[in-house]
Structures are given as C-alpha cells and as structure tokens.
Amino acid sequence: MPKVKLPRKSTAIDMTPMVDVAFLLLTFFMLTTKFKPNDPVTVVTPSSISTKLLPESNIAMILIGKDGRVFFDLDNKFKKQQLMSDLNSQYHLGLTKDQINSYAIGGPVGVPFKMLPQLLSVPADQRNAFPQPGIPIDSANNELDQWIKYTLNVNNANPDLQFVIKADDNTKYEVVKQVLKTLKANHLNKLHLVTNLKPIPPGTAAWREQQAAGGANASKQQP
C-alpha cells in the first residue's frame, strides 16, 4: 500500500511582533536614560604614564578648577539624596524634596552650604550657568571636611568607596595641598588622581621595565 505524503507546511516565522517589541524597548531606553551631567568647570588634567583605570562605581569625586574652586560629587544618586538630606537637617537649609532630588540627578556642586537652596532651585540641566564660587576649604571654614565626613557616614564606612581627585594642571599647589590635608584628616590616604596618559620617556626605569616585559612576552610566544 503506497504511503500518503503529507503536505509540507512552511516554517516561516512572522517577525513582526518581535520587531515591535524591539522598537518598544529602544523607545523605553531612549526616554529613561539620563546622560552624565557636564562638569561645571573645564579641567585639563596633568599627564602621567600610569595606565591604571579609575573604578567604575562607588566614587566620591573632588573636582578642582585651575582657579582653585573646589567641587564635590558622588556617582550614586541614592547616596546623594541621603547625603543632602543629612546636610539639610544638620545646617537647617530648608531644602524641599524636589531640591534634594535635583541635587541627586545633577553634577558636581561647588558652593557654600548657605547657597545650596539657591543653587538647587535651578534645574539640573541649567546649573552650570549658575556662578559657583567653590566649596570653602580654608582652615577657618573648611566645608569640604563636612562633605567628606557626611559622605563617609552615608556610605557606612563602605570599603569599596574610592575618593578621586580631578585637578587642573594649572591649579595652584596650595589648593591641592589643602584638599589632601583635609582627606588625610579623615584618614583617607588611598586616593586616585585623574590624569592623561602620555608615552613613557625612553631611558627611564619605567621604560626599561616595559621593554623587559615586552621581551619576556615575545620569548613565551616563540615555538
């Protein structure tokens, strides 16, 4: 008895629903993604031969302009909210919830505590146009010390928290020295400095070490 051949059915898959989902996801991320705010000052960092990368998270950034103005920022917006809430309570700033949230989504801040209500009334994306005189760091009124102390407090002595200094190449040494002194007073001796990478000068110890490492790798690759 001959076999009955069943008709072959097409295996084509309708991709229309999948394409719709892809466009919906793309639209969602475009609408919800917030880009990192620009720094309030342009900083041209010094050059170095270090190739060590900065940590990707848990960063407390101290930004120093060439005119000596000091700014402070955290990379975690939830910690920023808690930090500003604590400062608001301690210094009786009278900040609203909207102003605290505005600080959390904005960039580095560089004003005395008494100017925070005025600064945080400006939308985060327009804040760079607001004149910021810098956080006071002099011994008589070292408000940077308080920013650091409250940051350590809201992070509960988090061992992963890293302090980073991004200073302009033309910043006066006295300003950087005072910032380092303030960090040291808070038992922060391990820091990261933001620099531009430059070639290793030939003939130096670092250059000889690089050459020796390159020769050793080449020897291992030979059959």
Side-chain angles (χ1 to χ4, degrees):
M1 183 176 178
K3 290 184 177 180
V4 179
K5 291 185 178 181
L6 298 175
R8 292 185 177 182
K9 295 184 178 179
S10 174
T11 57
I13 300 175
D14 186 4
M15 298 293 291
T16 304
M18 190 174 295
V19 172
D20 291 341
V21 171
F23 275 107
L24 286 173
L25 289 173
L26 179 61
T27 303
F28 170 78
F29 285 115
M30 288 177 64
L31 294 175
T32 58
T33 300
K34 291 186 179 293
F35 296 98
K36 180 182 179 297
N38 293 326
D39 291 337
V41 289
T42 300
V43 172
V44 180
T45 55
S47 299
S48 75
I49 60 175
S50 174
T51 58
K52 186 176 181 180
L53 299 177
L54 290 175
E56 296 182 356
S57 59
N58 293 309
I59 294 175
M61 173 75 75
I62 298 175
L63 184 69
I64 311 175
K66 66 179 180 180
D67 55 2
R69 288 183 297 159
V70 176
F71 301 78
F72 189 84
D73 196 20
L74 292 175
D75 68 332
N76 186 315
K77 69 177 184 179
F78 301 107
K79 296 297 184 183
K80 290 181 71 171
Q81 286 179 326
Q82 186 178 350
L83 170 63
M84 189 52 62
S85 295
D86 289 351
L87 291 174
N88 185 38
S89 300
Q90 175 65 26
Y91 291 96
H92 308 288
L93 302 175
L95 298 175
T96 65
K97 185 176 180 180
D98 287 341
Q99 287 174 314
I100 293 174
N101 291 335
S102 177
Y103 166 71
I105 64 174
V109 164
V111 295
F113 290 134
K114 63 182 180 181
M115 289 183 63
L116 281 172
Q118 186 180 359
L119 174 67
L120 298 180
S121 297
V122 179
D125 58 349
Q126 302 174 22
R127 200 170 295 158
N128 285 350
F130 186 93
Q132 301 190 51
I135 297 172
I137 61 170
D138 57 277
S139 56
N141 182 30
N142 193 343
E143 292 188 3
L144 177 63
D145 180 71
Q146 297 303 305
W147 280 96
I148 294 172
K149 280 183 167 59
Y150 278 89
T151 296
L152 292 172
N153 183 56
V154 299
N155 282 274
N156 300 318
N158 178 10
D160 295 327
L161 180 65
Q162 303 289 323
F163 279 79
V164 176
I165 297 177
K166 183 178 179 181
D168 194 276
D169 193 28
N170 293 315
T171 302
K172 290 184 177 179
Y173 172 71
E174 289 77 9
V175 178
V176 178
K177 181 180 178 181
Q178 181 62 27
V179 170
L180 292 173
K181 182 180 178 181
T182 303
L183 289 164
K184 186 178 181 180
N186 286 279
H187 309 289
L188 296 168
N189 300 308
K190 184 178 179 181
L191 309 168
H192 296 271
L193 298 176
V194 180
T195 58
N196 290 320
L197 183 64
K198 69 176 183 180
I200 300 177
T204 61
W207 180 83
R208 289 192 292 270
E209 183 180 346
Q210 183 188 57
Q211 295 300 307
N217 292 334
S219 299
K220 290 180 181 179
Q221 294 176 1
Q222 290 180 356

